[in-house]
Amino acid sequence: MSALDVQDFIQQNRATAQQAETFRGYWESDKHWEARREFILRNMSDFEADRLDHLLSLSMVWANNVFMGCRSVATDPVCLLTAATARRCWKK
C-alpha cells in the first residue's frame, strides 16, 4: 500500500481512520506513526473487535523492530506475520 493508497483508504473509510488515530502514542514521531498506522489499517480487517489489543501490540513490536532494530523471541512470529507488509512498506 503506497502513501497514496493509504490516503485513499482514509478518505473512503473515515470511521476506521478515526478509530486508528486514537491508537497513536504521544511519543511517536510522524514517520513512526504513519508506518504503524498503515500496519494497523492494513491488518485491522484480520482481527475481531475484541482482539484489537493483539493487533496494536503486534504493531508496536513491528515498529520497534523496523525503526529501532529491537530483536527478541517475540519478533519471530511477528516477522512471519508481517514479512510481506514490511517488504512493501520499506522497499525504497
Side-chain angles (χ1 to χ4, degrees):
M1 189 180 288
S2 70
L4 186 57
D5 293 338
V6 172
Q7 291 307 318
D8 286 343
F9 179 86
I10 289 170
Q11 293 288 333
Q12 296 170 7
N13 300 282
R14 285 279 184 205
T16 303
Q18 287 177 341
Q19 181 185 15
E21 287 298 322
T22 66
F23 304 138
R24 182 177 184 170
Y26 68 88
W27 60 87
E28 291 180 287
S29 68
D30 289 341
K31 179 181 177 180
H32 289 199
W33 170 242
E34 288 169 11
R36 196 166 79 86
R37 179 183 63 188
E38 182 176 339
F39 179 96
I40 292 166
L41 292 173
R42 183 184 297 272
N43 295 293
M44 193 177 256
S45 63
D46 295 335
F47 289 81
E48 296 178 17
D50 63 336
R51 298 288 292 163
L52 279 181
D53 59 334
H54 188 69
L55 171 62
L56 298 177
S57 297
L58 289 173
S59 73
M60 289 180 188
V61 171
W62 176 81
N64 288 344
N65 182 301
V66 170
F67 290 109
M68 293 184 253
C70 297
R71 303 283 188 263
S72 71
V73 177
T75 60
D76 290 336
V78 172
C79 288
L80 293 174
L81 174 69
T82 64
T85 300
R87 280 193 299 275
R88 285 192 302 267
C89 288
W90 303 111
K91 204 189 261 187
K92 296 180 181 175

